[in-house]
Structures are given as structure tokens and as C-alpha cells.
Amino acid sequence: MQFKFAFVSAALATLAVATPAPRGEPASSCSTGPVQCCQSVEPASSSSAAGVLALLGIVLQDLTVDVGLTCSPITVIGTSSSCSAQAVCCEDNSHGGLISIGCAPVTL
């Protein structure tokens, strides 16, 4: 339990100082991991995002941060089937694709 608390605290500290790629930046500017394809991107304060965050026990200090819901990594950029939803660069992709935190749209 202490490890989970330490991990979440570290993730929140990272989010507090991290700056995601500005809106509309090319996917190549994503330095936090693979670009994600998310079914929806919403503020953390939205009811659906808040529900997933609560289910996972994640507490965010900034509820205006955008989160991606139901995300998967895009491994091959440039193909027509890369992402039929929203391509984003997220600061925290460590929740098994259920939710990604600190997301900003990118251009594929």
C-alpha cells in the first residue's frame, strides 16, 4: 500500500512540473512514450473520467488536466489505420490503457 501511495505521489509530482506537447504538435514531439489512440479525451473533472480515477484510487490535484479514456499505443505512425479516434501524447500512460493522464492532441 505504501508503494502505491509513493508511486501515485511521484506521478502527481511529475504531472505538476511536466508540460505535455502543445496542441497540434507533430507526434514526433511526444517524449513521454508512445503516442496513444484514445476513444475519448476529457477533463479529469468529467463524470466518466472522475469515475475511472476513483476506481483506480488516483487523486489528481489539477482537475482541469485532460485525460484519455480507453487508450492504446500507436506503434506505427503514418498508416491510414493508425488511430480512428483521438491521437494524443500523455504524461502518464501507466494504467493499462484504461486511462492516460495529462494528454494533449498530436498530429499523425
PDB file of all heavy atoms in Angstrom, residues 69-98:
ATOM      1  N   LEU A  69      -9.377   8.246 -22.235  1.00  0.00           N
ATOM      2  CA  LEU A  69     -10.064   7.047 -21.774  1.00  0.00           C
ATOM      3  C   LEU A  69     -10.008   5.971 -22.849  1.00  0.00           C
ATOM      4  O   LEU A  69     -10.192   6.258 -24.031  1.00  0.00           O
ATOM      5  CB  LEU A  69     -11.519   7.368 -21.418  1.00  0.00           C
ATOM      6  CG  LEU A  69     -11.713   8.414 -20.324  1.00  0.00           C
ATOM      7  CD1 LEU A  69     -13.177   8.776 -20.185  1.00  0.00           C
ATOM      8  CD2 LEU A  69     -11.161   7.914 -19.009  1.00  0.00           C
ATOM      9  N   THR A  70      -9.760   4.752 -22.434  1.00  0.00           N
ATOM     10  CA  THR A  70      -9.648   3.580 -23.313  1.00  0.00           C
ATOM     11  C   THR A  70      -8.607   3.860 -24.395  1.00  0.00           C
ATOM     12  O   THR A  70      -8.929   4.079 -25.552  1.00  0.00           O
ATOM     13  CB  THR A  70     -11.010   3.202 -23.936  1.00  0.00           C
ATOM     14  OG1 THR A  70     -12.009   3.240 -22.926  1.00  0.00           O
ATOM     15  CG2 THR A  70     -10.952   1.823 -24.554  1.00  0.00           C
ATOM     16  N   CYS A  71      -7.357   3.849 -23.991  1.00  0.00           N
ATOM     17  CA  CYS A  71      -6.239   4.203 -24.865  1.00  0.00           C
ATOM     18  C   CYS A  71      -5.385   2.985 -25.201  1.00  0.00           C
ATOM     19  O   CYS A  71      -5.278   2.048 -24.410  1.00  0.00           O
ATOM     20  CB  CYS A  71      -5.350   5.238 -24.181  1.00  0.00           C
ATOM     21  SG  CYS A  71      -6.209   6.756 -23.728  1.00  0.00           S
ATOM     22  N   SER A  72      -4.778   3.047 -26.367  1.00  0.00           N
ATOM     23  CA  SER A  72      -3.801   2.034 -26.756  1.00  0.00           C
ATOM     24  C   SER A  72      -2.665   2.739 -27.484  1.00  0.00           C
ATOM     25  O   SER A  72      -2.877   3.758 -28.146  1.00  0.00           O
ATOM     26  CB  SER A  72      -4.441   0.968 -27.653  1.00  0.00           C
ATOM     27  OG  SER A  72      -4.977   1.567 -28.808  1.00  0.00           O
ATOM     28  N   PRO A  73      -1.442   2.217 -27.363  1.00  0.00           N
ATOM     29  CA  PRO A  73      -0.304   2.882 -28.018  1.00  0.00           C
ATOM     30  C   PRO A  73      -0.375   2.737 -29.530  1.00  0.00           C
ATOM     31  O   PRO A  73      -0.844   1.730 -30.057  1.00  0.00           O
ATOM     32  CB  PRO A  73       0.909   2.150 -27.459  1.00  0.00           C
ATOM     33  CG  PRO A  73       0.404   0.902 -26.840  1.00  0.00           C
ATOM     34  CD  PRO A  73      -1.047   1.063 -26.576  1.00  0.00           C
ATOM     35  N   ILE A  74       0.060   3.773 -30.204  1.00  0.00           N
ATOM     36  CA  ILE A  74       0.187   3.732 -31.659  1.00  0.00           C
ATOM     37  C   ILE A  74       1.646   3.422 -31.944  1.00  0.00           C
ATOM     38  O   ILE A  74       2.529   4.202 -31.608  1.00  0.00           O
ATOM     39  CB  ILE A  74      -0.203   5.074 -32.297  1.00  0.00           C
ATOM     40  CG1 ILE A  74      -1.654   5.404 -31.975  1.00  0.00           C
ATOM     41  CG2 ILE A  74       0.035   5.037 -33.801  1.00  0.00           C
ATOM     42  CD1 ILE A  74      -2.076   6.789 -32.435  1.00  0.00           C
ATOM     43  N   THR A  75       1.909   2.277 -32.530  1.00  0.00           N
ATOM     44  CA  THR A  75       3.291   1.865 -32.733  1.00  0.00           C
ATOM     45  C   THR A  75       3.801   2.180 -34.133  1.00  0.00           C
ATOM     46  O   THR A  75       4.984   2.330 -34.335  1.00  0.00           O
ATOM     47  CB  THR A  75       3.455   0.366 -32.457  1.00  0.00           C
ATOM     48  OG1 THR A  75       2.519  -0.358 -33.251  1.00  0.00           O
ATOM     49  CG2 THR A  75       3.193   0.065 -30.993  1.00  0.00           C
ATOM     50  N   VAL A  76       2.918   2.258 -35.121  1.00  0.00           N
ATOM     51  CA  VAL A  76       3.330   2.563 -36.488  1.00  0.00           C
ATOM     52  C   VAL A  76       2.637   3.835 -36.914  1.00  0.00           C
ATOM     53  O   VAL A  76       1.445   3.851 -37.186  1.00  0.00           O
ATOM     54  CB  VAL A  76       2.977   1.419 -37.462  1.00  0.00           C
ATOM     55  CG1 VAL A  76       3.416   1.769 -38.862  1.00  0.00           C
ATOM     56  CG2 VAL A  76       3.591   0.116 -37.003  1.00  0.00           C
ATOM     57  N   ILE A  77       3.401   4.918 -36.949  1.00  0.00           N
ATOM     58  CA  ILE A  77       2.838   6.214 -37.331  1.00  0.00           C
ATOM     59  C   ILE A  77       2.910   6.347 -38.852  1.00  0.00           C
ATOM     60  O   ILE A  77       3.890   5.982 -39.476  1.00  0.00           O
ATOM     61  CB  ILE A  77       3.601   7.363 -36.640  1.00  0.00           C
ATOM     62  CG1 ILE A  77       3.385   7.259 -35.140  1.00  0.00           C
ATOM     63  CG2 ILE A  77       3.164   8.712 -37.164  1.00  0.00           C
ATOM     64  CD1 ILE A  77       4.173   8.248 -34.328  1.00  0.00           C
ATOM     65  N   GLY A  78       1.851   6.876 -39.432  1.00  0.00           N
ATOM     66  CA  GLY A  78       1.838   7.126 -40.856  1.00  0.00           C
ATOM     67  C   GLY A  78       0.955   6.173 -41.642  1.00  0.00           C
ATOM     68  O   GLY A  78       0.779   6.346 -42.831  1.00  0.00           O
ATOM     69  N   THR A  79       0.386   5.180 -41.014  1.00  0.00           N
ATOM     70  CA  THR A  79      -0.528   4.307 -41.727  1.00  0.00           C
ATOM     71  C   THR A  79      -1.932   4.851 -41.579  1.00  0.00           C
ATOM     72  O   THR A  79      -2.257   5.524 -40.613  1.00  0.00           O
ATOM     73  CB  THR A  79      -0.471   2.861 -41.182  1.00  0.00           C
ATOM     74  OG1 THR A  79      -0.926   2.872 -39.838  1.00  0.00           O
ATOM     75  CG2 THR A  79       0.930   2.300 -41.262  1.00  0.00           C
ATOM     76  N   SER A  80      -2.795   4.560 -42.521  1.00  0.00           N
ATOM     77  CA  SER A  80      -4.146   5.116 -42.501  1.00  0.00           C
ATOM     78  C   SER A  80      -4.962   4.596 -41.330  1.00  0.00           C
ATOM     79  O   SER A  80      -5.904   5.232 -40.901  1.00  0.00           O
ATOM     80  CB  SER A  80      -4.853   4.814 -43.819  1.00  0.00           C
ATOM     81  OG  SER A  80      -4.913   3.415 -44.014  1.00  0.00           O
ATOM     82  N   SER A  81      -4.616   3.425 -40.794  1.00  0.00           N
ATOM     83  CA  SER A  81      -5.387   2.862 -39.690  1.00  0.00           C
ATOM     84  C   SER A  81      -4.714   3.113 -38.337  1.00  0.00           C
ATOM     85  O   SER A  81      -5.019   2.437 -37.367  1.00  0.00           O
ATOM     86  CB  SER A  81      -5.578   1.361 -39.905  1.00  0.00           C
ATOM     87  OG  SER A  81      -4.321   0.729 -39.928  1.00  0.00           O
ATOM     88  N   SER A  82      -3.808   4.091 -38.270  1.00  0.00           N
ATOM     89  CA  SER A  82      -3.082   4.365 -37.026  1.00  0.00           C
ATOM     90  C   SER A  82      -4.020   4.641 -35.870  1.00  0.00           C
ATOM     91  O   SER A  82      -3.859   4.089 -34.799  1.00  0.00           O
ATOM     92  CB  SER A  82      -2.145   5.554 -37.194  1.00  0.00           C
ATOM     93  OG  SER A  82      -1.157   5.271 -38.120  1.00  0.00           O
ATOM     94  N   CYS A  83      -4.993   5.516 -36.077  1.00  0.00           N
ATOM     95  CA  CYS A  83      -5.892   5.875 -34.991  1.00  0.00           C
ATOM     96  C   CYS A  83      -7.178   6.429 -35.579  1.00  0.00           C
ATOM     97  O   CYS A  83      -7.159   7.464 -36.246  1.00  0.00           O
ATOM     98  CB  CYS A  83      -5.237   6.909 -34.074  1.00  0.00           C
ATOM     99  SG  CYS A  83      -6.279   7.393 -32.682  1.00  0.00           S
ATOM    100  N   SER A  84      -8.267   5.744 -35.327  1.00  0.00           N
ATOM    101  CA  SER A  84      -9.558   6.226 -35.830  1.00  0.00           C
ATOM    102  C   SER A  84     -10.275   7.085 -34.795  1.00  0.00           C
ATOM    103  O   SER A  84     -11.381   7.540 -35.024  1.00  0.00           O
ATOM    104  CB  SER A  84     -10.436   5.045 -36.235  1.00  0.00           C
ATOM    105  OG  SER A  84     -10.655   4.215 -35.117  1.00  0.00           O
ATOM    106  N   ALA A  85      -9.658   7.303 -33.634  1.00  0.00           N
ATOM    107  CA  ALA A  85     -10.248   8.130 -32.580  1.00  0.00           C
ATOM    108  C   ALA A  85      -9.370   9.374 -32.399  1.00  0.00           C
ATOM    109  O   ALA A  85      -9.147  10.089 -33.354  1.00  0.00           O
ATOM    110  CB  ALA A  85     -10.380   7.328 -31.293  1.00  0.00           C
ATOM    111  N   GLN A  86      -8.838   9.611 -31.192  1.00  0.00           N
ATOM    112  CA  GLN A  86      -8.031  10.791 -30.921  1.00  0.00           C
ATOM    113  C   GLN A  86      -6.594  10.406 -30.596  1.00  0.00           C
ATOM    114  O   GLN A  86      -6.343   9.678 -29.640  1.00  0.00           O
ATOM    115  CB  GLN A  86      -8.627  11.580 -29.759  1.00  0.00           C
ATOM    116  CG  GLN A  86      -9.988  12.171 -30.107  1.00  0.00           C
ATOM    117  CD  GLN A  86     -10.591  12.911 -28.944  1.00  0.00           C
ATOM    118  OE1 GLN A  86     -10.834  12.333 -27.901  1.00  0.00           O
ATOM    119  NE2 GLN A  86     -10.848  14.200 -29.129  1.00  0.00           N
ATOM    120  N   ALA A  87      -5.660  10.907 -31.402  1.00  0.00           N
ATOM    121  CA  ALA A  87      -4.238  10.679 -31.152  1.00  0.00           C
ATOM    122  C   ALA A  87      -3.744  11.728 -30.166  1.00  0.00           C
ATOM    123  O   ALA A  87      -3.948  12.920 -30.370  1.00  0.00           O
ATOM    124  CB  ALA A  87      -3.455  10.754 -32.451  1.00  0.00           C
ATOM    125  N   VAL A  88      -3.120  11.265 -29.086  1.00  0.00           N
ATOM    126  CA  VAL A  88      -2.672  12.172 -28.034  1.00  0.00           C
ATOM    127  C   VAL A  88      -1.301  11.762 -27.505  1.00  0.00           C
ATOM    128  O   VAL A  88      -0.890  10.606 -27.626  1.00  0.00           O
ATOM    129  CB  VAL A  88      -3.672  12.219 -26.855  1.00  0.00           C
ATOM    130  CG1 VAL A  88      -4.970  12.882 -27.257  1.00  0.00           C
ATOM    131  CG2 VAL A  88      -3.934  10.836 -26.296  1.00  0.00           C
ATOM    132  N   CYS A  89      -0.621  12.729 -26.913  1.00  0.00           N
ATOM    133  CA  CYS A  89       0.613  12.492 -26.183  1.00  0.00           C
ATOM    134  C   CYS A  89       0.271  12.724 -24.717  1.00  0.00           C
ATOM    135  O   CYS A  89      -0.232  13.785 -24.357  1.00  0.00           O
ATOM    136  CB  CYS A  89       1.688  13.474 -26.640  1.00  0.00           C
ATOM    137  SG  CYS A  89       3.247  13.314 -25.744  1.00  0.00           S
ATOM    138  N   CYS A  90       0.505  11.714 -23.883  1.00  0.00           N
ATOM    139  CA  CYS A  90       0.114  11.799 -22.473  1.00  0.00           C
ATOM    140  C   CYS A  90       1.328  11.673 -21.563  1.00  0.00           C
ATOM    141  O   CYS A  90       2.276  10.953 -21.870  1.00  0.00           O
ATOM    142  CB  CYS A  90      -0.887  10.700 -22.126  1.00  0.00           C
ATOM    143  SG  CYS A  90      -2.369  10.737 -23.152  1.00  0.00           S
ATOM    144  N   GLU A  91       1.268  12.345 -20.437  1.00  0.00           N
ATOM    145  CA  GLU A  91       2.352  12.314 -19.467  1.00  0.00           C
ATOM    146  C   GLU A  91       2.418  11.004 -18.694  1.00  0.00           C
ATOM    147  O   GLU A  91       3.473  10.589 -18.280  1.00  0.00           O
ATOM    148  CB  GLU A  91       2.196  13.474 -18.472  1.00  0.00           C
ATOM    149  CG  GLU A  91       2.375  14.845 -19.099  1.00  0.00           C
ATOM    150  CD  GLU A  91       3.770  15.071 -19.624  1.00  0.00           C
ATOM    151  OE1 GLU A  91       4.739  14.611 -19.002  1.00  0.00           O
ATOM    152  OE2 GLU A  91       3.892  15.704 -20.676  1.00  0.00           O
ATOM    153  N   ASP A  92       1.272  10.371 -18.452  1.00  0.00           N
ATOM    154  CA  ASP A  92       1.231   9.155 -17.639  1.00  0.00           C
ATOM    155  C   ASP A  92       0.368   8.109 -18.328  1.00  0.00           C
ATOM    156  O   ASP A  92      -0.856   8.214 -18.357  1.00  0.00           O
ATOM    157  CB  ASP A  92       0.679   9.478 -16.248  1.00  0.00           C
ATOM    158  CG  ASP A  92       0.624   8.269 -15.318  1.00  0.00           C
ATOM    159  OD1 ASP A  92       0.991   7.160 -15.737  1.00  0.00           O
ATOM    160  OD2 ASP A  92       0.207   8.452 -14.160  1.00  0.00           O
ATOM    161  N   ASN A  93       1.030   7.091 -18.886  1.00  0.00           N
ATOM    162  CA  ASN A  93       0.345   6.012 -19.603  1.00  0.00           C
ATOM    163  C   ASN A  93       0.427   4.698 -18.830  1.00  0.00           C
ATOM    164  O   ASN A  93       0.371   3.628 -19.420  1.00  0.00           O
ATOM    165  CB  ASN A  93       0.986   5.802 -20.987  1.00  0.00           C
ATOM    166  CG  ASN A  93       0.927   7.038 -21.836  1.00  0.00           C
ATOM    167  OD1 ASN A  93      -0.089   7.690 -21.926  1.00  0.00           O
ATOM    168  ND2 ASN A  93       2.047   7.379 -22.460  1.00  0.00           N
ATOM    169  N   SER A  94       0.546   4.758 -17.525  1.00  0.00           N
ATOM    170  CA  SER A  94       0.874   3.565 -16.747  1.00  0.00           C
ATOM    171  C   SER A  94      -0.331   2.856 -16.132  1.00  0.00           C
ATOM    172  O   SER A  94      -0.179   2.112 -15.176  1.00  0.00           O
ATOM    173  CB  SER A  94       1.850   3.944 -15.627  1.00  0.00           C
ATOM    174  OG  SER A  94       1.233   4.844 -14.722  1.00  0.00           O
ATOM    175  N   HIS A  95      -1.509   3.045 -16.689  1.00  0.00           N
ATOM    176  CA  HIS A  95      -2.710   2.456 -16.082  1.00  0.00           C
ATOM    177  C   HIS A  95      -3.394   1.441 -17.004  1.00  0.00           C
ATOM    178  O   HIS A  95      -4.620   1.329 -17.017  1.00  0.00           O
ATOM    179  CB  HIS A  95      -3.675   3.563 -15.657  1.00  0.00           C
ATOM    180  CG  HIS A  95      -3.031   4.555 -14.749  1.00  0.00           C
ATOM    181  ND1 HIS A  95      -2.729   4.267 -13.428  1.00  0.00           N
ATOM    182  CD2 HIS A  95      -2.559   5.804 -14.974  1.00  0.00           C
ATOM    183  CE1 HIS A  95      -2.129   5.308 -12.889  1.00  0.00           C
ATOM    184  NE2 HIS A  95      -2.007   6.246 -13.802  1.00  0.00           N
ATOM    185  N   GLY A  96      -2.608   0.723 -17.766  1.00  0.00           N
ATOM    186  CA  GLY A  96      -3.109  -0.387 -18.571  1.00  0.00           C
ATOM    187  C   GLY A  96      -4.075  -0.009 -19.673  1.00  0.00           C
ATOM    188  O   GLY A  96      -4.883  -0.833 -20.077  1.00  0.00           O
ATOM    189  N   GLY A  97      -4.025   1.205 -20.174  1.00  0.00           N
ATOM    190  CA  GLY A  97      -4.892   1.609 -21.263  1.00  0.00           C
ATOM    191  C   GLY A  97      -6.267   2.079 -20.821  1.00  0.00           C
ATOM    192  O   GLY A  97      -7.026   2.620 -21.621  1.00  0.00           O
ATOM    193  N   LEU A  98      -6.596   1.881 -19.559  1.00  0.00           N
ATOM    194  CA  LEU A  98      -7.895   2.310 -19.054  1.00  0.00           C
ATOM    195  C   LEU A  98      -7.992   3.831 -19.041  1.00  0.00           C
ATOM    196  O   LEU A  98      -8.996   4.410 -19.443  1.00  0.00           O
ATOM    197  CB  LEU A  98      -8.117   1.739 -17.656  1.00  0.00           C
ATOM    198  CG  LEU A  98      -9.513   1.849 -17.077  1.00  0.00           C
ATOM    199  CD1 LEU A  98     -10.541   1.193 -17.985  1.00  0.00           C
ATOM    200  CD2 LEU A  98      -9.555   1.204 -15.700  1.00  0.00           C
TER     201      LEU A  98
END
